[in-house]
Amino acid sequence: MALVIENLTRRFGATEVLRGIDLAVADRELVALLGPSGSGKTTLLKIIAGLDWPNAGSLTVADEDWLARRPQTRETGFVFQHYALFPHMRVRDNIAFGLTVQPRPRRPDAAAITARVNELLQFLQIETLADRYPAELSGGQRQRVALGRALATSPRILLLDEPFGALDAQVRRDLRRWLRHVHEASGTTTIFVTHDQEEAFELADRVVVMGAGRIEQIGRPDEIYDHPASPFVARFLGHTVELPVTLQAGRVQARGLDATALPRRALPDGPARLFLRASDITPVPAEDGRYRITDLASTGALLRVRLTESAGVEMDAEVPRRTATALAVGQAVHLRVQAGCVFVDPRSATAPPARPTVPADAPLSELKESLP
Ligand SMILES: Nc1ncnc2c1ncn2[C@@H]1O[C@H](COP(=O)(O)OP(=O)(O)O)[C@@H](O)[C@H]1O
Ligand SMILES: [Mg+2]
């Protein structure tokens, strides 16, 4: 493992901002820290870079105590969302900066610095920008330069804190592919912070979902998408619909709901909550349907179907517009669900949870903790 963090804790006064972080990042891996604002992502990056210190816990890189190293010798490159490039320096001098301020024994001579900068300009596909000033660059170009500056000293660990956060959607998508390529070709270990799910999933080998100073789940993108480990992760990943259901022999049941497509769950009989994405719900016209269509809105590709239940509960379903020509406002429907995740609801569970007979989606202890 390149980087191992164990039981890392950081408090500001009485506020615990990091509450026992355990994380191991492999050599040359690209890991995304994904979580809402305030979940502790930046604090964790700063601790790795040596710009902040933990109250407890350990951090090692290749088995060496990294907390004992001074920030200047941590061999990390850092890019922030608003990386202030030096406005009075041309792009090539901005990139050279980290090399020119190295301690004398390690500082390359002028010719070697020029060669390294030229190599990076070419590698990052920004040769044509070399003699411009930051004010003459677009936001996306500035972040490419910022990455060049972070890479100049050949860091072992690259730390990127929402580097594309201020850019528009198309530029972000272009930069994602570019960054993935740069990461692979440069051979660094990269930790990328974002609150954008799509960005994290598209870029990273593994995604670390953070909430309120804890790691909620670590896994490959598809694993996390398909099997959120807690209600927190489910909500954060777009399961906006939550329905009370009953579990019986591992099957999800509720009036007006056809959940036969869901796999059986290794969860005890009794009340539970079903978490759904709008795109997992198909309204099916039915005379005795429990839900009524109250609004239809097209986004072109999708039809957003507003549904109201007799008790007044409202939700949205999303279906491909061209397949949904039979739907109309006022219609009664029942809901067929294609996918979803189920968590036992500890507020209403009566019996203590039975021991699962097949692997469950998540340990029950975690579910209990993360439910309000
Ligand atoms: N220097 C500080 N002093 C006090 N509180 C801080 C400080 N830095 C961060 N915090 C608090 O720590 C929490 C996590 O912050 P941060 O690591 O920036 O989260 P994120 O990057 O996920 O948005 C926030 O509630 C923030 O207000
Ligand atoms: Mg932050």
mmCIF file of all heavy atoms in Angstrom, residues 12 17 36-44 161, ligand 1:
data_model
loop_
_atom_site.group_PDB
_atom_site.id
_atom_site.type_symbol
_atom_site.label_atom_id
_atom_site.label_comp_id
_atom_site.label_asym_id
_atom_site.label_seq_id
_atom_site.Cartn_x
_atom_site.Cartn_y
_atom_site.Cartn_z
ATOM 1 N N PHE A 12 -11.766 20.541 15.795
ATOM 2 C CA PHE A 12 -11.594 21.983 15.918
ATOM 3 C C PHE A 12 -12.432 22.392 17.107
ATOM 4 O O PHE A 12 -13.657 22.397 17.019
ATOM 5 C CB PHE A 12 -12.062 22.716 14.651
ATOM 6 C CG PHE A 12 -11.186 22.443 13.451
ATOM 7 C CD1 PHE A 12 -11.667 21.694 12.382
ATOM 8 C CD2 PHE A 12 -9.892 22.941 13.392
ATOM 9 C CE1 PHE A 12 -10.865 21.457 11.273
ATOM 10 C CE2 PHE A 12 -9.084 22.703 12.289
ATOM 11 C CZ PHE A 12 -9.574 21.959 11.231
ATOM 12 N N VAL A 17 -14.238 16.886 13.291
ATOM 13 C CA VAL A 17 -14.380 17.038 11.844
ATOM 14 C C VAL A 17 -13.990 15.747 11.127
ATOM 15 O O VAL A 17 -14.567 15.389 10.098
ATOM 16 C CB VAL A 17 -13.520 18.228 11.389
ATOM 17 C CG1 VAL A 17 -13.361 18.249 9.904
ATOM 18 C CG2 VAL A 17 -14.152 19.524 11.882
ATOM 19 N N PRO A 36 -20.724 15.321 0.767
ATOM 20 C CA PRO A 36 -21.292 16.667 0.758
ATOM 21 C C PRO A 36 -20.339 17.671 1.404
ATOM 22 O O PRO A 36 -19.386 17.280 2.085
ATOM 23 C CB PRO A 36 -22.572 16.523 1.592
ATOM 24 C CG PRO A 36 -22.383 15.305 2.416
ATOM 25 C CD PRO A 36 -21.453 14.410 1.647
ATOM 26 N N SER A 37 -20.615 18.923 1.192
ATOM 27 C CA SER A 37 -19.813 19.993 1.763
ATOM 28 C C SER A 37 -19.808 19.867 3.288
ATOM 29 O O SER A 37 -20.828 19.579 3.895
ATOM 30 C CB SER A 37 -20.445 21.316 1.325
ATOM 31 O OG SER A 37 -19.752 22.381 1.883
ATOM 32 N N GLY A 38 -18.641 20.013 3.883
ATOM 33 C CA GLY A 38 -18.525 19.939 5.332
ATOM 34 C C GLY A 38 -18.264 18.549 5.872
ATOM 35 O O GLY A 38 -18.176 18.357 7.080
ATOM 36 N N SER A 39 -18.097 17.555 4.983
ATOM 37 C CA SER A 39 -17.919 16.184 5.475
ATOM 38 C C SER A 39 -16.468 15.890 5.880
ATOM 39 O O SER A 39 -16.181 14.820 6.396
ATOM 40 C CB SER A 39 -18.419 15.166 4.441
ATOM 41 O OG SER A 39 -17.832 15.381 3.178
ATOM 42 N N GLY A 40 -15.553 16.820 5.630
ATOM 43 C CA GLY A 40 -14.178 16.643 6.111
ATOM 44 C C GLY A 40 -13.166 16.304 5.032
ATOM 45 O O GLY A 40 -12.012 15.990 5.332
ATOM 46 N N LYS A 41 -13.553 16.396 3.763
ATOM 47 C CA LYS A 41 -12.678 15.999 2.660
ATOM 48 C C LYS A 41 -11.413 16.855 2.591
ATOM 49 O O LYS A 41 -10.306 16.334 2.502
ATOM 50 C CB LYS A 41 -13.447 16.092 1.323
ATOM 51 C CG LYS A 41 -14.775 15.358 1.318
ATOM 52 C CD LYS A 41 -15.474 15.444 -0.032
ATOM 53 C CE LYS A 41 -15.884 16.839 -0.471
ATOM 54 N NZ LYS A 41 -16.926 17.494 0.376
ATOM 55 N N THR A 42 -11.603 18.172 2.632
ATOM 56 C CA THR A 42 -10.451 19.069 2.531
ATOM 57 C C THR A 42 -9.525 18.904 3.725
ATOM 58 O O THR A 42 -8.297 18.884 3.574
ATOM 59 C CB THR A 42 -10.932 20.535 2.410
ATOM 60 O OG1 THR A 42 -11.632 20.673 1.174
ATOM 61 C CG2 THR A 42 -9.773 21.515 2.441
ATOM 62 N N THR A 43 -10.103 18.747 4.909
ATOM 63 C CA THR A 43 -9.289 18.555 6.114
ATOM 64 C C THR A 43 -8.406 17.319 5.962
ATOM 65 O O THR A 43 -7.216 17.351 6.292
ATOM 66 C CB THR A 43 -10.205 18.424 7.346
ATOM 67 O OG1 THR A 43 -11.042 19.584 7.424
ATOM 68 C CG2 THR A 43 -9.401 18.296 8.621
ATOM 69 N N LEU A 44 -8.964 16.248 5.429
ATOM 70 C CA LEU A 44 -8.182 15.021 5.240
ATOM 71 C C LEU A 44 -7.038 15.248 4.248
ATOM 72 O O LEU A 44 -5.904 14.843 4.486
ATOM 73 C CB LEU A 44 -9.111 13.893 4.767
ATOM 74 C CG LEU A 44 -8.495 12.509 4.641
ATOM 75 C CD1 LEU A 44 -7.831 12.069 5.935
ATOM 76 C CD2 LEU A 44 -9.557 11.473 4.236
ATOM 77 N N ASP A 161 -8.133 18.943 -4.834
ATOM 78 C CA ASP A 161 -9.316 19.314 -4.059
ATOM 79 C C ASP A 161 -10.319 20.049 -4.940
ATOM 80 O O ASP A 161 -10.182 21.240 -5.175
ATOM 81 C CB ASP A 161 -8.911 20.180 -2.870
ATOM 82 C CG ASP A 161 -10.042 20.322 -1.854
ATOM 83 O OD1 ASP A 161 -11.151 19.826 -2.125
ATOM 84 O OD2 ASP A 161 -9.811 20.933 -0.800
HETATM 85 N N1 LIG B 1 -9.665 25.730 10.624
HETATM 86 C C1 LIG B 1 -10.905 25.351 10.983
HETATM 87 N N2 LIG B 1 -11.454 25.760 12.147
HETATM 88 C C2 LIG B 1 -12.694 25.358 12.508
HETATM 89 N N3 LIG B 1 -13.486 24.550 11.769
HETATM 90 C C3 LIG B 1 -13.002 24.123 10.601
HETATM 91 C C4 LIG B 1 -11.699 24.491 10.130
HETATM 92 N N4 LIG B 1 -11.508 23.892 8.930
HETATM 93 C C5 LIG B 1 -12.624 23.199 8.664
HETATM 94 N N5 LIG B 1 -13.525 23.331 9.667
HETATM 95 C C6 LIG B 1 -14.843 22.686 9.720
HETATM 96 O O1 LIG B 1 -14.652 21.309 9.490
HETATM 97 C C7 LIG B 1 -15.725 20.758 8.741
HETATM 98 C C8 LIG B 1 -15.201 20.026 7.528
HETATM 99 O O2 LIG B 1 -14.614 20.955 6.669
HETATM 100 P P1 LIG B 1 -13.911 20.537 5.310
HETATM 101 O O3 LIG B 1 -12.819 19.574 5.609
HETATM 102 O O4 LIG B 1 -13.516 21.780 4.621
HETATM 103 O O5 LIG B 1 -15.085 19.789 4.551
HETATM 104 P P2 LIG B 1 -15.326 19.537 2.976
HETATM 105 O O6 LIG B 1 -14.027 19.772 2.278
HETATM 106 O O7 LIG B 1 -15.817 18.137 2.894
HETATM 107 O O8 LIG B 1 -16.376 20.514 2.557
HETATM 108 C C9 LIG B 1 -16.645 21.918 8.404
HETATM 109 O O9 LIG B 1 -17.727 21.902 9.285
HETATM 110 C C10 LIG B 1 -15.766 23.120 8.608
HETATM 111 O O10 LIG B 1 -16.547 24.228 9.000
#
